[in-house]
Amino acid sequence: MLEIAIRSGDDLGLQVLLGAGASRRKALGPSGTRLLQLAIERGHTRIAERLLGEGVDPNPAERLLGEGGNLSVSASFGFVDIRWETPLHAATGLCNASIVGSLLKAGVEVDRLAPRTALAAAVANGDLESTSLLLEAGADVNMTQITDEGIGRNSRTPIQAAANRGDLDLVKELHARGADLNAPAGHSFERTALQAACASEVLNMELVRYLLGNGADVNATAGPVGGLTALQGAAICGHTRLVLLLLKDDIGADVNGKPAIHKGRTALEGAAEHGRLDLVQILLNAGAKPREGDDGYYRAIQFAEKEAHWVVVRLLRQAFV
């Protein structure tokens, strides 16, 4: 009955049920945290506040699954695919700063593990109010989903999330609080802070310069699935000025940096696939070579052909064939 009331947002019904001894004991027992999370996931702020007011523990005794969530381990890739959340993660995922504040007052643990930390989730969603609350509460600016079993599939640190949004001010604040600019990219389609900044469709050159000026590794390894280096990201997105900057001797981007193991592109392949004729020529002039392997010589050509970038195809054939 409690779950039905929470799912339907029946605040009055919940109040009546909590007046009954059995229902109140259930809410304050091990299942109470799960009910609290359900209320937050459903966006029922008043009900969540009522449960907290009744003394429901906001910290799960064990891993909680969200609606339809699951926990699985992939032995082949050595990562943990985790889709469980806590009430705090649910609140930050919905940008509900009011509930975040209430959870913090109720003693919620700010650094519980999940696909991303609560702080990273708040940053990624642009929820600056929750971000400030979590930072004031002492959230770990370098925490990501790393466990004994492996690295979370979609792990992202707060500063990586801030760089992905192009938020220079927040990057600076997190860096000042000790955030690691060179935290490695997560497993699937994730980036380091510099990789994220360079691969942004809306380029913030001031952010890139800040990261480079503060020691960000321009040749950091691409994440294994769909990852990319800083130069690959710039080339794929067609950021010509940025490619030229990264290739300068004092910056030292590797024009032939290794692509991601799965679904990766070299800088040359990425530029060719997206029809960036000027960048293909710039990269060739900088010494770009086909990737290693029997078909490496033709991969860039094949990518350009698939997208019907025929002028790029001709240029690559002149260079390679």
Side-chain angles (χ1 to χ4, degrees), residues 30-79:
S31 63
T33 310
R34 179 68 182 85
L35 295 172
L36 173 62
Q37 181 176 333
L38 177 61
I40 295 171
E41 289 174 345
R42 290 298 180 103
H44 300 320
T45 300
R46 287 182 60 186
I47 287 179
E49 297 278 6
R50 184 177 297 281
L51 290 171
L52 287 169
E54 290 288 337
V56 171
D57 186 357
N59 297 304
E62 55 187 23
R63 292 172 175 175
L64 288 177
L65 296 177
E67 293 190 88
N70 65 77
L71 172 64
S72 62
V73 179
S74 171
S76 59
F77 289 109
F79 63 80

Side-chain angles (χ1 to χ4, degrees), residues 71-303:
L71 172 64
S72 62
V73 179
S74 171
S76 59
F77 289 109
F79 63 80
V80 181
D81 182 7
I82 299 176
R83 296 189 180 91
W84 51 265
E85 288 188 327
T86 69
L88 182 58
H89 291 93
T92 54
L94 294 174
C95 300
N96 194 329
S98 174
I99 289 294
V100 169
S102 296
L103 288 167
L104 291 171
K105 289 178 183 177
V108 74
E109 296 176 20
V110 296
D111 289 327
R112 279 284 181 122
L113 291 177
R116 288 179 290 185
T117 65
L119 178 58
V123 172
N125 289 324
D127 185 355
L128 297 182
E129 187 175 352
S130 291
T131 297
S132 295
L133 289 172
L134 292 166
L135 287 173
E136 290 170 9
D140 186 344
V141 295
N142 286 312
M143 190 175 181
T144 187
Q145 176 53 46
I146 300 179
T147 71
D148 292 340
E149 296 97 338
I151 300 177
R153 186 182 185 114
N154 299 108
S155 59
R156 182 184 293 175
T157 66
I159 202 165
Q160 290 168 352
N164 188 64
R165 293 184 60 84
D167 191 331
L168 175 58
D169 290 338
L170 188 50
V171 166
K172 286 181 176 179
E173 180 175 356
L174 291 167
H175 188 214
R177 291 174 179 264
D180 181 4
L181 291 181
N182 288 311
H187 187 277
S188 296
F189 298 94
E190 297 295 351
R191 286 93 172 85
T192 67
L194 180 60
Q195 290 167 357
C198 291
S200 175
E201 291 294 334
V202 181
L203 178 63
N204 185 337
M205 282 291 286
E206 190 178 354
L207 170 59
V208 172
R209 291 183 187 279
Y210 175 83
L211 293 169
L212 289 171
N214 284 277
D217 184 359
V218 72
N219 290 313
T221 303
V225 177
L228 41 72
T229 66
L231 182 63
Q232 289 163 7
I236 288 170
C237 291
H239 300 318
T240 305
R241 284 195 307 128
L242 178 55
V243 168
L244 291 171
L245 172 67
L246 296 175
L247 288 172
K248 286 185 175 181
D249 290 341
D250 58 337
I251 303 297
D254 183 358
V255 71
N256 292 306
K258 291 184 178 180
I261 298 170
H262 298 279
K263 301 182 180 180
R265 302 285 189 270
T266 65
L268 184 63
E269 291 167 358
E273 184 175 27
H274 289 81
R276 316 288 187 181
L277 180 63
D278 58 336
L279 287 174
V280 169
Q281 186 65 73
I282 289 170
L283 293 167
L284 289 172
N285 291 344
K289 303 293 183 185
R291 75 161 78 186
E292 296 178 358
D294 294 338
D295 65 343
Y297 226 67
Y298 295 97
R299 287 177 70 96
I301 294 173
Q302 290 169 345
F303 285 134

